Amino acid sequence: MSWLLLAFASAVFLGFYDLAKKKSVQDNAVRPVLLLCSAFYALLMLPILITGHCEPLTLHDHLYLMGKAVIVGASWLFTYNAIAHMPLSISTTIRALAPLFTIMIAVGFMGERPFALQWVGIAICVCSYVGLSMAGRKEMGHFFSNGWVISMVLGTILASCSGIYDKFILQRMNFEPLTVQVWFSIYMMLVQFLTTAFTWFPTRKTSTPFQFRWSFLAVAALLIIADRCYFLAVSHQDALISIITVLRRSSVFISFVAGILIFRERKSKLKFLALLGVVIGLCLISLGKG
């Protein structure tokens, strides 16, 4: 399957993952939610490890995958906390700015060179993402002085770094995508266990109470599928992480519509115009590859 189609598929499942994530953290203690979602993720991936479908790894290889878990774990801690305290249509559109950071890194330091038409598509998408964030500023007042906005931006920057890291381990170090996903799930669970044990458990009685929800399982299942499509896309030798990141963030469509229809968040003409821009940009990206 084309890496472009895989990136689109990842975006669809990532959109529904955002909905399940919002349901999971809303009025709930974030760190144990992260732990249980990570535990379900690892549990669902465990049969692949047990049946021997993963390639053998050296200690050096495991350290690389531990590093990925630490980067993503930190990103999740920032973004899940932000999502718990912000409208979904705003938090996910801020996260949609991830391509801006990823493109700068990929083009500046990894030598990626998208086609001319793809450059136009990327530019339109990035401008549209900025427009979406401006619409969010109108809803939240002093946008960049809001602590949860800052938390979302920090998580987004870390997610961009993770995307570049993925390109490195999958294309340059030739890790097998399924092996990366399986061991990442295990190390992520360990990272979240340590975070929860040391930062939430001692103060759990004075912080937001924790409630178990079955949406945790949906978060894990949807993320597994989204990650599988994503890792396969990045592992293609001709795949451009700058393009994949833009396509993957098109998941904002699902989050945007759900925020308005399900969570009854504010409508905005600027949001709709920006979404139209994203559609045009994605079409140009796909045509440019052809």
Side-chain angles (χ1 to χ4, degrees):
M1 184 182 292
S2 164
W3 60 270
L4 282 170
L5 291 177
L6 286 167
F8 272 123
S10 178
V12 172
F13 286 103
L14 200 62
F16 288 106
Y17 156 76
D18 283 334
L19 302 187
K21 183 167 60 176
K22 176 66 175 179
K23 176 64 177 176
S24 297
V25 299
Q26 196 169 32
D27 301 319
N28 208 353
V30 172
R31 279 159 289 185
V33 169
L34 279 170
L35 173 59
L36 282 180
C37 289
S38 300
F40 279 129
Y41 189 126
L43 185 63
L44 292 172
M45 298 299 293
L46 190 59
I48 298 173
L49 181 64
I50 294 175
T51 54
H53 285 83
C54 294
E55 62 180 346
L57 298 176
T58 65
L59 177 59
H60 190 251
D61 294 334
H62 279 285
L63 290 176
Y64 275 109
L65 297 183
M66 287 181 193
K68 174 175 172 55
V70 170
I71 295 172
V72 177
S75 174
W76 283 8
L77 189 59
F78 283 119
T79 56
Y80 270 66
N81 273 290
I83 288 171
H85 295 86
M86 296 171 64
L88 184 63
S89 59
I90 296 178
S91 61
T92 53
T93 52
I94 294 173
R95 187 167 173 79
L97 287 169
L100 180 62
F101 303 111
T102 303
I103 290 168
M104 289 191 296
I105 298 172
V107 173
F109 298 98
M110 302 194 73
E112 288 197 357
R113 294 295 180 266
F115 295 102
L117 196 57
Q118 290 176 324
W119 268 119
V120 176
I122 290 172
I124 292 174
C125 282
V126 170
C127 290
S128 299
Y129 291 146
V130 172
L132 286 168
S133 293
M134 289 173 64
R137 181 176 59 187
K138 290 185 177 181
E139 294 184 42
M140 297 186 64
H142 300 291
F143 200 67
F144 291 106
S145 62
N146 186 298
W148 299 120
V149 171
I150 295 172
S151 180
M152 199 71 197
V153 170
L154 290 174
T156 299
I157 293 173
L158 286 170
S160 300
C161 294
S162 175
I164 297 299
Y165 194 84
D166 291 336
K167 179 181 174 72
F168 174 74
I169 62 177
L170 289 167
Q171 289 190 14
R172 300 196 177 180
M173 297 192 67
N174 295 314
F175 276 81
E176 201 279 320
L178 188 60
T179 300
V180 171
Q181 190 171 2
V182 170
W183 282 107
F184 163 73
S185 70
I186 293 172
Y187 291 131
M188 174 57 75
M189 181 178 65
L190 178 61
V191 167
Q192 298 302 340
F193 173 78
L194 293 174
T195 302
T196 303
F198 287 103
T199 66
W200 175 79
F201 189 78
T203 60
R204 66 192 185 283
K205 294 182 179 179
T206 59
S207 60
T208 303
F210 169 71
Q211 299 176 358
F212 176 83
R213 296 171 184 169
W214 286 108
S215 57
F216 300 168
L217 185 57
V219 167
L222 289 166
L223 186 58
I224 284 174
I225 301 172
D227 278 353
R228 179 60 177 162
C229 294
Y230 167 71
F231 285 132
L232 286 173
V234 177
S235 66
H236 283 238
Q237 289 303 312
D238 59 341
L240 302 179
I241 193 65
S242 54
I243 304 296
I244 291 174
T245 305
V246 172
L247 296 181
R248 200 166 189 243
R249 282 302 135 202
S250 63
S251 62
V252 70
F253 296 139
I254 297 173
S255 305
F256 174 81
V257 173
I260 293 175
L261 298 181
I262 299 176
F263 297 101
R264 303 297 180 183
E265 295 172 5
R266 180 180 174 182
K267 298 178 182 179
S268 167
K269 289 183 179 180
L270 182 56
K271 286 182 180 179
F272 284 112
L273 288 174
L275 284 172
L276 178 61
V278 173
V279 172
I280 295 171
L282 293 176
C283 291
L284 290 174
I285 288 169
S286 300
L287 290 172
K289 179 59 182 175

